[in-house]
Amino acid sequence: MSRDSQTSKQPAERGRIGNFINSVRTAVLIEGGLLNTFRTVIFVLQNEGWSGFRRRVGGALSKEARNDYQEWIRRYDTRTDSEQERIRNQIDRMQNKPLVSILMPTYNTRVEWLKQAIDSVQAQIYPNWQLCIADDASTNPAVRELLERASSQDERIKVTFRAENGHISAASNSALALCEGEWVALMDHDDLLAEHALFCVVEAINLHSQARLIFSDEDKVSGHGYRFEPYFKCDFNRDLFYSHNMISHLGVYRRDIVKEIGGFREGLEGAQDYDLALRFIERIDETAIQHIPRVLYHWRRHPGSTTRGLSEKPYSIEAGRKALQEHFERRGIAASVEGTPTGYHVRYALPAAPPLVTLIIPTRNGYPLLRGCIDSIRQKTTYPNYQILIVDNGSDQPETLEYLGKISSEPDISVQRDDRPFNFAALNNTAVKQAHGELVALVNDDIEVISPDWLTEMVRLALQPGIGAVGAKLLYPNGNIQHAGIVLGLGGIAGHAFKLNPGEDPGYHFRAQLTSSFSAVTAACLLIRKNIYLEVGGMEEKNLTIAFNDVDFCIRVREAGLRNVWTPHAVLCHHESATRGYEDNPEKRARFESEIRFMQKRWGRMLLKDPCYSPNLTLQHEDFSYAWPPRVEI
């Protein structure tokens, strides 16, 4: 090699090294720590090469490329021969190898799909199962022929033929009568199980002795076997479950409890599984519900199936609404349930005398924004019992002072002067202590009301036992989403779900349109009972004066055993700039970096394990795109 050629390659080599260092630096932020980063670097470079590594850490990929599910399956959801052997060895070492009964009602199923469903059960790596099929008086003789042949060839397949058609609940109960296993898994007659599905279930049973209900992630499968639309779920999320059936498939239940509650109820066809799950969770603690973050179930999509959405079967919406309404009645909870094409909206009843809410609004020289905020609240808010406490943090502009002086004479508005250096946490903490309301709402002075019942909706939720902070849906002035819940780990610490998506965007599996728990909600508009705020110590004043104080606060609320809930039914405009940018001077950057270090030290790996978010979804983007790789071994 000539000296000239060596010299010509050195800049390129330095460039590659520089790119590598920058990529690793990015990966540290994405993966959340050096150990994960270097594991990722080694894995990707060994298995995918430099181009694969660039794909993983590159932020410039389009959302379509980040959601290439076929590539994701190839990399992370395909079991090699050696992996199958590892699973078999692990099964041999299991102490508890329970019989799992798979419950399958069938009626005039397309024979090839029914055969594929049965074949997927027989292909299970875990061998201790039984398939319990109840045929609901199919008129197609080929269905009976297939079922008789399958049961004669495999003693683990049990079949009963009903004399008359009774629909899916009755057929499911007939199949349940055949079940002998300690656990019952629900399966539709044209769907498919992943080959490692029952192994993962039994592995969870061995790891979690308290488990009574287990559910997994799922995807759709076409008539030709093409997989698509994965639902990467979070852990059990009661508020999301009350919005749609997040358990669904694969759902596995302790048989003794299923029998105890009477199996499936007739009259709720189309939502019989949802009704079963609702009645089941009434008998167990939430700690007995285990989520497996793996795609174990492939739900067949065809014309008329519920995989196409509840609107394909309107009776399913009403059946689910009825099941949920009766669940609240059994629990003694006053609420009304509305069914929609995307899920359910639960409106909890307010007391006869709605409690007082103190709206705390910090401001400084913000006359135009503050006036817009106050006017929108007073003109549009329909909730009948609130007062406004404005915290004036050292305003000195005449128009602001004049405005504050004028409105302070109003009976429902008071102004509190606080001239200390700006400390968002401290300003709110002091104001909360002085608030007269049973509930307090932290509201930015650049907020404007869009939905008149915003406060009513938030109070309904905040008064429910078990609920802590309640957050609203905030939109930028251009109509795009600013806040739809906070996900831990996004960008390294936390980020806003669906930020910058169109305001009407449904989000990932409708989460931007469904009430659900999140680990945190923004203090730009946050409602909570005053006693809870004080009991958890308020916001961190010393170490989180500006950023992340709401995230830290909400995590502490959650650690106190309460759920933080976000609702899409309280909509407001937030005038924070959509192009806000980075901290713009050394002092601010130093403060921000200090707050990042504090959050990492206080919460550590918890920031990478948000129970309200899937480990199969990215921590690099706020759009719920896929993780490359997932933060769970699959």
Side-chain angles (χ1 to χ4, degrees), residues 7 9-21:
T7 304
K9 285 184 176 291
Q10 284 174 356
E13 188 66 26
R14 286 197 300 269
R16 281 194 291 271
I17 293 172
N19 288 339
F20 178 82
I21 292 172

Side-chain angles (χ1 to χ4, degrees), residues 162-408:
R162 291 173 49 84
E164 60 182 18
N165 182 265
H167 303 296
I168 193 168
S169 294
S172 295
N173 284 330
S174 295
L176 178 63
L178 300 175
C179 296
E180 301 170 343
E182 183 180 345
W183 293 83
V184 175
L186 309 187
M187 183 177 180
D188 290 347
H189 56 174
D190 51 4
D191 295 341
L192 304 173
L193 292 183
E195 63 180 355
H196 60 313
L198 296 186
F199 158 73
C200 291
V201 168
V202 174
E203 181 183 42
I205 292 169
N206 277 267
L207 291 173
H208 307 283
S209 60
Q210 83 282 8
R212 295 296 180 270
L213 191 165
I214 297 170
F215 69 100
S216 77
D217 294 353
E218 61 191 73
D219 64 13
K220 308 297 192 301
V221 63
S222 70
H224 302 290
Y226 180 82
R227 290 172 54 186
F228 60 104
E229 285 187 16
Y231 187 1
F232 294 132
K233 305 173 185 177
C234 60
D235 289 347
F236 181 70
N237 184 322
R238 182 174 290 272
D239 302 287
L240 181 58
F241 181 57
Y242 285 164
S243 297
H244 74 182
N245 183 8
M246 66 169 294
I247 292 175
S248 194
H249 300 307
L250 177 65
V252 187
Y253 302 76
R254 276 288 298 259
R255 183 172 68 95
D256 55 349
I257 300 178
V258 173
K259 299 284 283 188
E260 179 185 320
I261 63 177
F264 298 85
R265 287 201 300 165
E266 297 186 36
L268 292 169
E269 285 75 14
Q272 71 285 338
D273 292 3
Y274 191 31
D275 175 67
L276 179 76
L278 286 163
R279 289 182 290 119
F280 194 98
I281 67 171
E282 294 170 16
R283 304 297 181 96
I284 64 174
D285 189 84
E286 282 191 23
T287 58
I289 305 174
Q290 289 296 321
H291 167 228
I292 301 173
R294 297 175 171 87
V295 179
L296 303 183
Y297 194 97
H298 312 305
W299 199 356
R300 182 84 65 179
R301 171 171 286 184
H302 55 82
S305 71
T306 53
T307 64
R308 303 182 70 89
L310 291 176
S311 58
E312 285 282 325
K313 294 185 176 182
Y315 66 88
S316 296
I317 300 175
E318 174 55 24
R321 189 206 63 78
K322 182 180 178 182
L324 189 54
Q325 185 72 60
E326 293 179 0
H327 166 76
F328 288 124
E329 291 170 0
R330 288 190 299 270
R331 295 189 60 207
I333 297 174
S336 61
V337 181
E338 175 189 357
T340 73
T342 60
Y344 304 98
H345 179 194
V346 179
R347 290 186 174 91
Y348 298 99
L350 287 174
L356 176 65
V357 180
T358 300
L359 308 182
I360 298 172
I361 307 176
T363 192
R364 183 180 189 277
N365 291 332
Y367 168 69
L369 288 173
L370 178 63
R371 179 174 179 175
C373 175
I374 299 299
D375 287 350
S376 74
I377 290 172
R378 300 182 76 190
Q379 293 170 12
K380 295 182 180 179
T381 301
T382 56
Y383 186 78
N385 194 16
Y386 70 89
Q387 59 182 201
I388 297 173
L389 172 57
I390 299 173
V391 181
D392 177 22
N393 186 217
S395 293
D396 55 14
Q397 292 180 351
E399 62 179 356
T400 300
L401 294 174
E402 180 183 355
Y403 177 70
L404 292 174
K406 178 180 179 181
I407 63 173
S408 63

